[in-house]
Amino acid sequence: MKRPTRDNTESQRRITRRGLVLGGGMAGFVGLLGLRMRYLQVDQADQFRLLADENRINIHLIPPSRGRIFDREGRVIAENIPSYRINIIREQAGDLEDVIARLSKLVRLNPEELKKAREDLAKLRGDTPVTVADRVSWEDISRVAVNAPALPGVTPEVGLSRHYPMGEDYSHVVGYVGPVSDRDLERIDAPDALLLIPRFQIGKIGLERRREDTLRGKAGTKRVEVNAAGRVMRELDRVEGEAGADIQLTLDNALQSYITARLEGESAAAVVMDCDTGDLLACSSTPGYDPNLFVRGISQADYSALLDNKYRPLPNKAVQGVYPPGSTFKMVTALAALEDGQVDPNETVYCPGFLKVANRRFHCWKRAGHGNVDLHRSLRESCDVYYYDLALRVGIDKIAEMAKRLGLGLEHDLPMTSVAGGLIPNKLWKATSRGEDWRIGDTANAAIGQGYVLSSPLQLAVMTARLATGRSVSPRLVRSVDGVEEPPNRGEPLGLNENTLREIRQAMYAVSNNRRGTAYGSRIIEDAFRMAGKTGTSQVRNITAAERARGVFRNEDLPWERRDHALYVNFAPFEAPKVAVAVIVEHGGGGSKTAAPIARDITLQALYGDDPPLDAYPSKDRDRIKTQQEQLRSRLDRRGSEDSDRA
């Protein structure tokens, strides 16, 4: 049946409307698609052409420049110098061994470095650059660059390497850096991505390790385009990293170098401390070693030579070494007794050469005895019996309390590794650590700095500075970080009776300036710089009966390893103390003979800032001092030339 005309017209109108809607939608979609295609193919053509081929884009970390280290006058202690190296990327190299063989014809490859490089190439990600030749010459770099098409995956680059221009002078304080090891990664909870870069250098010991986070800085990044052979075609973009912070120390290069030269030939340590601020002006341990040897990995031969040296060049004797302080501890015993009211400075004790304690004789160093001695004379002539008597009156616990008040037995907060706390014993310590009761003989030994008592040269310098000032001055090593000053450690008053301290200082002055003083031979003649000090001899072990039977009675007759340690502490000038000094010479014998002359020379050098005039020394010493100054100056000049040649 034929549809009515009106129905046909209505149906045709509906179809036309739907067609327009669908057609419009399709046209809009095609338009949007066209615009998007134009954006991708025209506007972003270069960017997406690169991204379409991911293996042609590499993202590299840019190691930051390590912070430098300076002395108190702004002179360099640790710096960064350019270092040329050759890297290889495994996934770009193709036949790795073939590439290495070609490279070896152009550049001499160290077998040990190559072995380590092969290990790194095997275990690290394929896109990680691995160093196969380090510290190569510019000529080597040029040959590699010219032959780049035949060396896929091989890239020469210029980096920075640590250098220590002062050599051994700061080896124990600043330490050194070295390549990151598996052991380093194990001790770090969340290693920085930088540490995963092969041969990346981090602090291993000393200040370099303790301030690693400050000195390291933060990595930058760069994106580079490489061709199918792995050769870098261009750098796409770069985000610079953040350089490590520069650190300025309180130490003085000139004084540090002088002390290292002055102690040459000895197994010794010396610390110089500013009495006002606590700044360490020098902190030396000898013999030292060249830290530059460790920067890229020291050879087995060089390391064995350090280990086999009987003078032990690796430990930092100034802060890590602990020794019986000997008679330098007597000021502690005296102060404990005076503060406790157990003795009057004018009271005398009779010294017949020994004191009998619990059926045992404790001898004085002077076997014939000193006779009647008071506080002043006991320190001046270092009478042992006087201090045995004081200690038995006051007791070990109060002596130990006074020792810690003066900075002994404490681990001072310094950014150096292995800072020792020493040992100040008391009754509780022996009961808990040894499971034994404290004996009265232990107190007598402790009174003269023997027995269980152990202190480092750093602690003795702190003790001396506190005696000189009456304040709890503490050592400071870092003066500023990136120009921001660290607060000095002047400390608060110790709370000790000033009259008591004055008595101790006057007695120490007599040690160096009275004809009967044990250090009179090493006095300072210049009135403005006269010093107050105390000698000490630390007994290593007794002479055996068999040795006595063979006629061995003196230190000089014993093997070097069995001789007593020599110690001396002092502050100067006496009227207005500026510096406190502590010196120890391992197995050096008597403190008055060995350590006191060294400490006197160091004190004068610190006060004058250069070679002191000869009239500051006793007349009998001036010819020897003149020759010594010439020899030391020549040695320092020669060392400076050698350091320049090494750089």
Side-chain angles (χ1 to χ4, degrees):
M1 183 174 65
K2 186 176 181 180
R3 296 180 64 183
T5 303
R6 189 180 61 180
D7 291 344
N8 288 336
T9 302
E10 182 65 23
S11 176
Q12 188 176 1
R13 189 174 66 245
R14 288 177 180 174
I15 292 172
T16 302
R17 188 166 57 245
R18 288 174 183 168
L20 289 173
V21 171
L22 289 174
M26 291 176 66
F29 177 76
V30 170
L32 288 173
L33 185 60
L35 290 174
R36 181 61 176 169
M37 291 176 67
R38 183 185 185 285
Y39 173 77
L40 294 176
Q41 294 182 9
V42 179
D43 297 343
Q44 297 291 312
D46 293 339
Q47 178 74 6
F48 285 96
R49 187 180 300 113
L50 295 174
L51 293 177
D53 191 5
E54 280 188 1
N55 65 339
R56 295 177 62 193
I57 306 299
N58 284 342
I59 298 178
H60 295 168
L61 288 178
I62 304 174
S65 174
R66 192 171 180 85
R68 297 165 298 173
I69 302 174
F70 302 93
D71 84 331
R72 66 185 299 107
E73 301 296 333
R75 294 168 293 206
V76 175
I77 296 174
E79 61 185 346
N80 306 304
I81 59 174
S83 175
Y84 300 113
R85 63 177 68 101
I86 298 172
N87 296 336
I88 188 168
I89 300 175
R90 188 185 70 223
E91 70 177 17
Q92 297 174 2
D95 188 337
L96 189 61
E97 291 303 320
D98 180 57
V99 171
I100 292 175
R102 293 182 203 172
L103 180 62
S104 65
K105 294 178 181 179
L106 300 172
V107 179
R108 183 181 176 278
L109 301 179
N110 183 292
E112 292 183 6
E113 287 190 352
L114 186 57
K115 179 182 177 182
K116 179 67 169 61
R118 282 193 170 102
E119 293 173 357
D120 290 337
L121 286 165
K123 69 182 180 181
L124 296 172
R125 281 178 40 174
D127 61 350
T128 304
V130 172
T131 301
V132 293
D134 197 10
R135 294 193 174 184
V136 297
S137 67
W138 175 251
E139 289 73 17
D140 291 333
I141 291 289
S142 300
R143 283 195 295 271
V144 171
V146 168
N147 290 274
L151 298 170
V154 175
T155 55
E157 72 172 33
V158 180
L160 293 175
S161 185
R162 203 63 156 172
H163 177 65
Y164 303 98
M166 300 297 293
E168 66 179 280
D169 293 353
Y170 284 101
S171 55
H172 297 101
V173 176
V174 172
Y176 54 83
V177 301
V180 179
S181 66
D182 292 337
R183 184 177 178 182
D184 293 324
L185 295 175
E186 288 172 2
R187 66 180 173 82
I188 301 174
D189 293 334
D192 189 323
L194 269 173
L195 303 185
L196 303 179
I197 299 176
R199 309 286 182 93
F200 183 75
Q201 297 174 350
I202 64 169
K204 294 291 186 174
I205 66 168
L207 179 81
E208 290 276 27
R209 176 173 173 177
R210 290 294 304 275
R211 288 297 184 96
E212 170 65 26
D213 291 343
T214 303
L215 291 165
R216 185 192 308 161
K218 296 180 180 178
T221 58
K222 65 177 179 180
R223 287 195 312 145
V224 296
E225 178 187 1
V226 297
N227 62 16
R231 184 179 182 183
V232 175
M233 302 304 295
R234 59 172 173 158
E235 184 177 299
L236 302 177
D237 58 52
R238 170 186 290 255
V239 178
E240 294 296 341
E242 182 180 324
D246 291 339
I247 293 180
Q248 183 180 24
L249 302 185
T250 60
L251 302 174
D252 181 271
N253 275 7
L255 184 60
Q256 186 81 2
S257 295
Y258 172 83
I259 294 175
T260 303
R262 181 66 179 85
L263 296 178
E264 190 169 10
E266 302 282 4
S267 178
V271 176
V272 182
M273 186 171 167
D274 186 302
C275 289
D276 179 41
T277 62
D279 286 359
L280 294 180
L281 304 179
C283 185
S284 180
S285 175
T286 60
Y289 56 87
D290 184 0
N292 294 296
L293 294 175
F294 287 84
V295 173
R296 288 295 174 181
I298 190 170
S299 70
Q300 186 58 50
D302 287 337
Y303 193 63
S304 295
L306 294 174
L307 290 177
D308 295 340
N309 189 329
K310 70 176 183 178
Y311 285 0
R312 303 182 305 118
L314 290 175
N316 184 353
K317 301 179 184 75
V319 303
Q320 183 180 357
V322 289
Y323 312 86
S327 293
T328 62
F329 190 79
K330 287 176 178 175
M331 288 84 75
V332 175
T333 304
L335 269 175
L338 289 167
E339 286 288 308
D340 196 45
Q342 295 293 333
V343 68
D344 181 270
N346 298 316
E347 179 183 342
T348 62
V349 172
Y350 180 69
C351 170
F354 67 89
L355 182 67
K356 195 171 183 179
V357 180
N359 298 318
R360 177 186 168 190
R361 283 190 173 191
F362 285 79
H363 290 278
C364 183
W365 70 268
K366 188 176 181 180
R367 292 300 172 122
H370 289 88
N372 290 311
V373 294
D374 58 10
L375 172 69
H376 193 274
R377 187 183 172 199
S378 73
L379 272 178
R380 185 185 74 203
E381 300 177 28
S382 202
C383 174
D384 294 331
V385 168
Y386 183 90
Y387 293 93
Y388 297 148
D389 183 82
L390 290 193
L392 298 184
R393 297 192 215 175
V394 72
I396 187 59
D397 287 335
K398 289 183 179 178
I399 293 174
E401 181 184 339
M402 180 60 67
K404 292 188 175 180
R405 204 167 174 181
L406 293 174
L408 304 179
L410 304 175
E411 186 177 320
H412 294 287
D413 185 18
L414 290 173
M416 287 189 277
T417 46
S418 304
V419 177
L423 176 59
I424 300 299
N426 57 19
K427 294 177 181 178
L428 178 62
W429 169 83
K430 191 174 183 184
T432 55
S433 65
R434 298 294 183 93
E436 300 174 4
D437 292 333
W438 187 265
R439 298 183 178 182
I440 193 169
D442 296 331
T443 302
N445 276 328
I448 61 168
Q450 293 286 165
Y452 300 115
V453 182
L454 296 172
S455 298
S456 68
L458 170 70
Q459 292 171 328
L460 293 177
V462 172
M463 175 195 75
T464 308
R466 293 186 179 187
L467 288 172
T469 63
R471 291 182 283 105
S472 58
V473 57
S474 297
R476 179 178 76 154
L477 179 63
V478 175
R479 188 174 188 178
S480 67
V481 177
D482 262 354
V484 179
E485 182 87 9
E486 298 278 304
N489 297 328
R490 291 186 170 88
E492 300 297 325
L494 289 168
L496 298 174
N497 186 299
E498 186 58 34
N499 291 327
T500 300
L501 282 171
R502 191 176 296 113
E503 291 287 347
I504 297 294
R505 293 171 191 149
Q506 288 287 352
M508 292 176 67
Y509 179 84
V511 170
S512 297
N513 297 283
N514 186 287
R515 289 184 179 276
R516 293 180 177 271
T518 55
Y520 181 71
S522 299
R523 65 195 181 280
I524 293 174
I525 297 300
E526 174 58 53
D527 286 336
F529 289 156
R530 287 188 182 269
M531 67 181 178
K534 184 68 189 80
T535 55
T537 302
S538 172
Q539 192 175 59
V540 174
R541 53 176 62 89
N542 292 320
I543 297 174
T544 65
E547 287 170 332
R548 290 188 183 279
R550 296 199 307 269
V552 176
F553 295 99
R554 302 177 307 165
N555 250 280
E556 293 82 355
D557 300 327
L558 292 169
W560 178 81
E561 294 84 356
R562 294 190 56 202
R563 297 175 189 170
D564 295 339
H565 300 315
L567 301 100
Y568 189 74
V569 299
N570 71 272
F571 64 86
F574 175 70
E575 296 294 343
K578 292 182 179 179
V579 297
V581 178
V583 171
I584 182 167
V585 180
E586 288 188 338
H587 310 296
S592 59
K593 178 182 178 182
T594 307
I598 294 173
R600 185 267 315 276
D601 295 351
I602 291 172
T603 302
L604 282 172
Q605 199 78 17
L607 293 174
Y608 278 99
D610 201 350
D611 286 345
L614 293 178
D615 57 12
Y617 298 87
S619 58
K620 67 180 179 61
D621 292 337
R622 289 172 187 171
D623 289 342
R624 179 179 58 82
I625 293 296
K626 181 179 180 181
T627 302
Q628 174 185 287
Q629 287 180 348
E630 291 171 353
Q631 292 174 342
L632 290 178
R633 185 57 54 195
S634 174
R635 200 169 297 161
L636 289 171
D637 291 342
R638 186 170 62 253
R639 181 182 298 159
S641 299
E642 291 171 354
D643 290 339
S644 298
D645 293 341
R646 267 201 306 267

